[in-house]
Amino acid sequence: MTRDLSEYVCLDGVYVKEDQVVKMAQNAGSFAVAEHYLCALLAHGLMYGKKEIIDRVNEVRGQYQVLPFAKPEDQGPRDEYGRSRMESVELKVRKAYGQMSEERRHEVMKQCLQLLRMQSDLFSKKNDWLGVMLVVRDRLDGNINQNNFYEYACAITPEDWPEALRIGEHTAKNFSRQLAAEDRMEAYYDMESNPQEKLCDKLWEIIIQAVLTEIP
């Protein structure tokens, strides 16, 4: 029988029940260790729209005498996609990324790409850079697009990245061919058919964890 992944948190590539991850954070002994589990919980809650997760995270933060995250309001102004404009995990990540130096952004993304390959087999060909571009464009930096992605991709490619997976000068020019015409102007999470859906979701999960640990 297929597991309902909405009840399991992806923790270092292993799916663990929510309650167990909370207990692991509670029993970590220090907030520095517990934070790893809490970031995974936040990423899980954001991915599956589980607003109650922030209460569980804040309960553990309180145990370690750390200030709680502000809870986004259910009501309030909405953007064109119907999402709350109030402070949220997604906005925290985008803001934190934007405040990093360019060099630090590149280093964080290098780490995220290495984790992506360590935790999955989703990045297996050059065209998979499309998924990376979509996540960065739609979640982190709206100035990144198909025209300038090659330079960005070169800057975030880990030094030990396999040659066969390094982006080529013409790779990004073929991105639009992978997307249906009706999806080309949509954010990746609003597409009817995103060929990089699994990679996008996994990479975004990794980025959330990586960037949240950068926030003091």
Side-chain angles (χ1 to χ4, degrees):
M1 185 173 65
T2 304
R3 290 186 300 181
D4 179 4
L5 293 183
S6 68
E7 300 300 321
Y8 290 80
V9 178
C10 184
L11 190 63
D12 299 326
V14 178
Y15 286 91
V16 183
K17 288 282 285 184
E18 286 179 17
D19 289 343
Q20 186 175 347
V21 178
V22 171
K23 289 180 180 178
M24 292 167 75
Q26 291 172 330
N27 298 327
S30 71
F31 183 70
V33 177
E35 190 174 28
H36 173 67
Y37 304 119
L38 298 182
C39 287
L41 281 166
L42 284 172
H44 173 74
L46 180 61
M47 181 175 295
Y48 290 100
K50 305 183 77 167
K51 297 179 181 179
E52 69 277 8
I53 287 289
I54 197 167
D55 291 324
R56 309 194 74 179
V57 168
N58 281 340
E59 184 177 345
V60 178
R61 289 173 68 90
Q63 174 187 322
Y64 292 99
Q65 298 182 329
V66 177
L67 291 175
F69 285 125
K71 292 177 62 176
E73 300 293 335
D74 289 335
Q75 302 298 324
R78 301 276 166 172
D79 65 15
E80 60 187 301
Y81 299 113
R83 297 171 297 185
S84 172
R85 293 182 185 273
M86 301 299 289
E87 189 74 356
S88 67
V89 172
E90 179 177 350
L91 292 178
K92 285 179 183 292
V93 171
R94 190 181 185 101
K95 180 179 179 181
Y97 178 86
Q99 291 177 338
M100 293 177 189
S101 67
E102 184 177 57
E103 181 180 5
R104 187 57 190 153
R105 291 181 197 174
H106 293 166
E107 287 302 314
V108 168
M109 288 304 299
K110 284 181 181 180
Q111 295 170 18
C112 290
L113 288 175
Q114 288 174 322
L115 286 171
L116 177 65
R117 290 192 66 239
M118 287 172 59
Q119 297 179 12
S120 74
D121 58 358
L122 294 170
F123 201 121
S124 60
K125 55 188 183 299
K126 289 186 178 184
N127 280 343
D128 289 334
W129 280 105
L130 167 62
V132 179
M133 187 202 76
L134 293 174
V135 172
V136 174
R137 182 196 72 183
D138 296 336
R139 297 289 197 181
L140 299 174
D141 185 353
N143 293 317
I144 296 297
N145 56 53
Q146 186 172 332
N147 295 326
N148 59 23
F149 183 69
Y150 172 71
E151 290 77 13
Y152 178 83
C154 289
I156 66 171
T157 300
E159 286 71 17
D160 59 351
W161 200 248
E163 190 63 35
L165 299 182
R166 290 179 179 270
I167 194 169
E169 290 189 42
H170 301 292
T171 305
K173 295 180 181 179
N174 297 321
F175 283 168
S176 59
R177 298 179 185 178
Q178 299 183 55
L179 302 173
E182 59 270 21
D183 285 331
R184 291 173 189 167
M185 300 301 292
E186 297 288 342
Y188 77 84
Y189 40 79
D190 288 326
M191 291 179 179
E192 288 292 328
S193 178
N194 177 6
Q196 297 285 335
E197 181 178 6
K198 291 183 179 179
L199 187 152
C200 288
D201 288 345
K202 180 62 178 177
L203 179 59
W204 177 229
E205 175 186 311
I206 291 171
I207 290 172
I208 291 173
Q209 295 185 48
V211 174
L212 285 180
T213 60
E214 296 283 319
I215 301 176

